[in-house]
Amino acid sequence: MNIRLASGKEIPVEMHKVRIVQKIHLRSVDERRRALEEAGYNTFLLRTRDIFLDMLTDSGVNAMSDNQLAGMMVADDAYAGGESYYRLVDAVKDVLGYRFVLPVHQGRAAEHLIDKVFLKPGQVVPTNYHFTTTRAHIEILGGTMLEIYADEALNTQSTHPFKGNIDLNKLNDVIKRYGPEKIAYVRMEATTNLLGGQPFSLENMRAVREICDRHKLLFVLDGSLVSENAYLIKQREPGYAHKGVAEIIKEMCSLADIYYMSARKNTSVRGGMIATNNEKFYLQLRDWLPVYEGFLTYGGMSVKEVEAMAIGLREMTAPEVAGCAVEQVKYFAHRLLENGVPVVTPPGGLACHLDARRFLPHIPQTQYPAGALSAAVYLSSGIRTMERGTISTDRDKDGKEILADLELTRIAVPRRVYTISHIEYAVDRITWLYQHRDLVKGLKFVEEPPVLRFFFGKLAALEDWGKTLSEAFKKELGDY
Ligand code: F0G
């Protein structure tokens, strides 16, 4: 919750106390360079023992609540018909308003099942923006994603409150061009991850619903970050300031035919699910569930996590839970902006994003500025971040490099895990890096997997810049 200090400054005070802790290590800059070189300058390949603050992702690494942990102890371990599932069904009905629930082992499993049932080869999926796994599943099944965001979405220095909106003219054009029968479904992603955690407005979502109704199109909501989108609607959309996060989530969900989520984010567990009020869709999806995931009442998840998900769903509607990452991200971004560091604005959910093209303007996209920046942040701070740019965009069918729309270094803020002093440390080291940005050069692949190459690809630093940067660090700041 944001508290205004007597000085007038606002800080996001943590509305929880820490009752279990895990030790973390700050390695020296020489040790960090060694670890980075072993990892092929790919932060995915670092080991956590070499990481100080793990801000790679907000997925599966959030702090669970005492109630969630307690719930895990009373989870009903049954192959079929377990009570934990029915408590999840009740929570989904109360919080999201859907009657039918299919648990899956994580978000991408939901994508797999939805595409298996609703996508035919040659069809298209218009969306506000892709997520990596979403696009991979659609393409594997012979479909194509069409990104129909408003042009403002790619402006990294914007004040637009809803950069996650679908451009309605582009949606109408897609329908005219392809015809409704070639459209598998329309997809909207809450707090659009790869645009920098940007929300859409309810006004926009309602308009998309109307267009879907007019053309009898299926409307799918990726609600992995639904509570953050609702929290940002409450803050930014006229007419919603006095509504509760819970009420806004319900309204968002009421507009979609099929909802799915990675439960690893807003509900702080490890799992996922699909939900709907349409019995026919539910039955179509249900029949594939035991083939790929598990029986209906656990869907490939541990029942402990099913129980914790039911509790997490209810908890994510509290403003201090829905807003805990949003407020830390806002604080983080504003502190960096004060120091002149280029971050994506307005700040959104899940992460603070550095704009690598403006941070490292001397590195061409073919030399992966966002990947280089992610590696350089680790070297200068021990903080692990994630490349979200051209490395995260696989080559096309002919092996040609596809240059990403945005070159972002994502500094995720796991929920209820780090404190403001951690963020102050990050601000300081990233600011130091910005002042020494000329020392950072590009990267080149030395091992490049053909699909989702950002996970396991290995790269090398051009002109051995890791050495130059760590020498400069040692000279000015010492080993740490
Ligand atoms: N949809 C969105 C919007 C996501 O952010 C993710 C995962 C998925 C689907 C896939 O879910 O990981 O449970 O299989 N995002 C993670 C991230 C991986 O780091 O942003 P999953």
Side-chain angles (χ1 to χ4, degrees):
M1 195 167 98
N2 269 18
I3 303 277
R4 192 184 296 277
L5 301 180
S7 67
K9 188 179 159 188
E10 268 193 23
I11 56 168
V13 173
E14 294 85 0
M15 297 303 285
H16 46 261
K17 57 183 177 182
V18 180
R19 293 176 60 224
I20 294 183
V21 297
Q22 184 181 357
K23 196 168 162 48
I24 48 179
H25 307 275
L26 178 58
R27 301 289 187 212
S28 72
V29 66
D30 281 338
E31 289 168 331
R32 299 197 294 252
R33 183 151 75 91
R34 220 169 300 133
L36 190 63
E37 267 160 18
E38 259 170 49
Y41 279 74
N42 179 350
T43 54
F44 274 98
L45 301 181
L46 289 166
R47 291 181 59 159
T48 53
R49 64 177 187 193
D50 297 321
I51 291 164
F52 181 45
L53 307 181
D54 196 359
M55 301 180 119
L56 179 79
T57 180
D58 64 330
S59 168
V61 289
N62 300 290
M64 297 176 88
S65 69
D66 47 1
N67 286 326
Q68 286 182 297
L69 284 171
M72 289 172 94
M73 301 308 290
V74 294
D76 186 14
D77 229 331
Y79 188 92
E83 286 304 315
S84 298
Y85 171 72
Y86 293 100
R87 286 192 277 271
L88 175 66
V89 171
D90 287 346
V92 169
K93 191 150 190 300
D94 291 348
V95 176
L96 307 177
Y98 300 113
R99 284 190 296 151
F100 302 110
V101 185
L102 302 123
V104 291
H105 79 272
Q106 62 184 81
R108 65 200 70 185
E111 291 169 340
H112 171 220
L113 288 178
I114 289 170
D115 292 333
K116 176 137 190 87
V117 172
F118 297 105
L119 178 90
K120 293 190 204 71
Q123 283 189 318
V124 297
V125 177
T127 182
N128 49 352
Y129 209 66
H130 79 281
F131 184 72
T132 51
T133 57
T134 325
R135 177 144 78 192
H137 280 294
I138 288 170
E139 290 181 354
I140 287 166
L141 289 169
T144 308
M145 273 197 125
L146 303 172
E147 292 170 319
I148 48 168
Y149 50 82
D151 297 341
E152 183 69 7
L154 301 187
N155 177 0
T156 56
Q157 292 169 277
S158 169
T159 52
H160 195 292
F162 293 111
K163 290 200 291 182
N165 280 354
I166 278 185
D167 183 323
L168 303 173
N169 291 330
K170 289 184 189 166
L171 179 56
N172 283 321
D173 287 348
V174 165
I175 297 168
K176 233 180 269 153
R177 189 157 148 225
Y178 291 90
E181 63 293 335
K182 269 209 99 175
I183 297 174
Y185 55 88
V186 177
R187 171 182 180 273
M188 259 183 126
E189 181 184 306
T191 318
T192 323
N193 190 333
L194 299 191
L195 285 176
Q198 300 294 322
F200 54 71
S201 67
L202 261 165
E203 184 190 21
N204 185 255
M205 193 181 182
R206 267 196 302 273
V208 172
R209 174 78 258 175
E210 275 165 30
I211 294 173
C212 288
D213 282 343
R214 209 172 317 133
H215 299 280
K216 299 200 167 39
L217 294 173
L218 193 62
F219 188 10
V220 174
L221 171 62
D222 178 338
S224 306
L225 292 160
V226 71
S227 64
E228 267 143 46
N229 202 115
Y231 185 85
L232 288 162
I233 285 174
K234 181 176 167 62
Q235 287 191 333
R236 296 180 185 175
E237 187 160 353
Y240 285 90
H242 301 296
K243 294 205 172 162
V245 172
E247 203 181 339
I248 298 172
I249 291 176
K250 268 260 179 70
E251 190 174 342
M252 289 167 72
C253 290
S254 72
L255 296 169
D257 299 306
I258 295 178
Y259 172 98
Y260 78 89
M261 75 191 297
S262 167
R264 299 167 61 86
K265 293 174 178 269
N266 285 181
T267 59
S268 298
V269 296
R270 287 135 296 237
M273 69 158 171
I274 307 174
T276 180
N277 276 324
N278 184 310
E279 191 167 7
K280 189 169 144 243
F281 298 157
Y282 161 70
L283 292 174
Q284 281 173 289
L285 289 158
R286 188 194 65 179
D287 293 341
W288 287 107
L289 196 64
V291 179
Y292 292 106
E293 297 295 310
F295 191 72
L296 171 68
T297 55
Y298 71 94
M301 288 174 67
S302 137
V303 289
K304 288 187 165 38
E305 302 275 347
V306 173
E307 188 78 43
M309 179 152 105
I311 296 165
L313 272 172
R314 293 185 193 277
E315 289 180 347
M316 76 176 187
T317 64
E320 71 277 9
V321 177
C324 64
V326 173
E327 296 300 346
Q328 281 196 333
V329 166
K330 188 159 88 187
Y331 178 88
F332 199 165
H334 285 159
R335 289 284 294 111
L336 285 169
L337 283 169
E338 277 169 19
N339 295 349
V341 178
V343 300
V344 174
T345 59
L350 99 139
C352 178
H353 293 80
L354 302 177
D355 183 357
R357 259 198 287 222
R358 281 189 290 135
F359 201 116
L360 301 172
H362 51 284
I363 302 183
Q365 274 191 280
T366 47
Q367 293 175 9
Y368 313 125
L373 184 53
S374 193
V377 168
Y378 172 72
L379 206 53
S380 343
S381 65
I383 299 172
R384 172 156 76 164
T385 61
M386 189 189 290
E387 192 268 4
R388 295 277 77 160
T390 297
I391 297 178
S392 297
T393 313
D394 287 335
R395 290 173 191 271
D396 70 10
K397 287 185 201 80
D398 307 319
K400 236 181 75 217
E401 193 82 85
I402 301 175
L403 302 181
D405 297 326
L406 294 168
E407 293 288 345
L408 305 181
T409 291
R410 186 181 80 171
I411 319 172
V413 178
R415 296 166 189 85
R416 299 179 290 196
V417 172
Y418 295 123
T419 60
I420 290 300
S421 74
H422 288 128
I423 290 178
E424 282 295 333
Y425 168 82
V427 168
D428 181 80
R429 289 302 191 259
I430 292 166
T431 303
W432 179 88
L433 177 63
Y434 186 60
Q435 287 156 356
H436 295 76
R437 59 194 178 277
D438 293 349
L439 303 180
V440 183
K441 312 286 178 209
L443 297 174
K444 64 166 191 244
F445 266 105
V446 288
E447 280 174 42
E448 187 180 342
V451 62
L452 298 180
R453 62 181 179 174
F454 62 92
F455 282 127
F456 300 116
K458 287 201 159 185
L459 301 103
L462 299 174
E463 299 174 42
D464 203 10
W465 62 259
K467 183 156 184 259
T468 330
L469 186 67
S470 43
E471 292 302 325
F473 183 98
K474 268 197 292 190
K475 215 165 112 203
E476 292 183 28
L477 299 171
D479 286 338
Y480 300 93

